[in-house]
Amino acid sequence: MTALRRLLNSIDRRLDRNSLHEPLTRSERPPGGGVPCLVSHALEQAVKTAHQFDPDARLKHVLAPQGVARDGAARRWEFVFDLPQRRAKLLSQWYLDGDPKFGRFGRECFDASLRPFPPPESPLAQAVAQGRLPYSQCAAAWREERRRTPDLPLGLRDSDAVMGDLLRLGLQADAGGWVLRNALLQPGGHVWLAQVGDTSLHCRFS
């Protein structure tokens, strides 16, 4: 039975042409130097790339892992999208590489990494490959994953306005070692969240 299911799974996989089956990466390095940017600038590029892979792409996470300057600009922004039609996740990263020969702030870089769901190394993917589960379990698990985290609105507040709120709430933006990301508070819905050690501050997301 396992051998037969493995054969059927292989056939179903080949017939499933919409889904992503292998990881993909894409990198862009525009000429010239770059400067830290607001989240709107980085998100515009991320959405454009996501829609090239899947017009139904849905934003799931936003992160400034190195914090944000007082004017709302950051040296690095990261976005995660679900690609429903491709059954895949997309990580988009806008950042400055810091190479001084490209200018004071470095060169503007944009990387996109697509991963199929479930990841090839996951227990579910291994069970399907070995014929212990039917291929249809991948689609069922993807539907559950899509429900697990809510979609974020693309009309989010720009990071300069967000920083204005957070500074008024007492954020020490120059201290370093903090991150800015989206969060879901119940009740309250989506918020921008500044995480500073064990302390967090939040304000309206959109």
Side-chain angles (χ1 to χ4, degrees):
M1 180 63 182
T2 300
L4 175 59
R5 180 175 286 158
R6 189 162 56 242
L7 174 62
L8 293 174
N9 285 350
S10 176
I11 294 172
D12 288 343
R13 186 177 187 273
R14 287 197 297 270
L15 293 176
D16 185 12
R17 296 186 176 91
N18 286 335
S19 296
L20 181 73
H21 298 298
E22 301 294 338
L24 293 175
T25 60
R26 177 186 294 179
S27 297
E28 297 181 20
R29 303 291 185 267
V35 296
C37 73
L38 301 181
V39 68
S40 58
H41 173 80
L43 180 60
E44 181 179 5
Q45 178 65 46
V47 170
K48 177 181 177 182
T49 299
H51 285 169
Q52 289 173 354
F53 289 109
D54 185 343
D56 198 32
R58 292 292 185 265
L59 180 63
K60 290 292 185 175
H61 296 289
V62 182
L63 172 67
Q66 300 173 357
V68 180
R70 301 176 72 88
D71 62 359
R75 292 181 58 90
R76 187 179 192 97
W77 292 100
E78 298 180 359
F79 308 92
V80 175
F81 293 84
D82 278 355
L83 306 182
Q85 297 182 26
R86 303 300 305 277
R87 207 182 71 221
K89 289 186 174 290
L90 168 65
L91 170 63
S92 294
Q93 302 177 83
W94 181 98
Y95 60 97
L96 301 176
D97 66 2
D99 190 333
K101 71 180 181 181
F102 289 102
R104 178 184 173 192
F105 294 109
R107 179 176 54 179
E108 183 174 351
C109 304
F110 184 81
D111 294 341
S113 302
L114 284 79
R115 295 278 288 170
F117 183 91
E121 68 278 5
S122 68
L124 174 57
Q126 293 296 314
V128 171
Q130 296 165 8
R132 292 184 283 113
L133 288 174
Y135 183 78
S136 60
Q137 285 295 310
C138 294
W142 178 236
R143 289 192 294 271
E144 183 61 30
E145 174 68 13
R146 292 275 294 116
R147 288 191 292 266
R148 188 176 64 84
T149 53
D151 299 339
L152 293 176
L154 293 180
L156 47 78
R157 293 176 70 215
D158 215 343
S159 48
D160 54 350
V162 171
M163 284 302 295
D165 282 355
L166 294 174
L167 291 170
R168 284 190 289 272
L169 290 172
L171 175 66
Q172 300 298 314
D174 302 324
W178 66 282
V179 301
L180 179 67
R181 63 181 176 87
N182 67 284
L184 183 63
L185 299 185
Q186 298 293 351
H190 298 294
V191 296
W192 280 107
L193 182 72
Q195 191 73 43
V196 188
D198 296 330
T199 302
S200 61
L201 300 170
H202 61 83
C203 65
R204 185 167 53 87
F205 187 78
S206 60

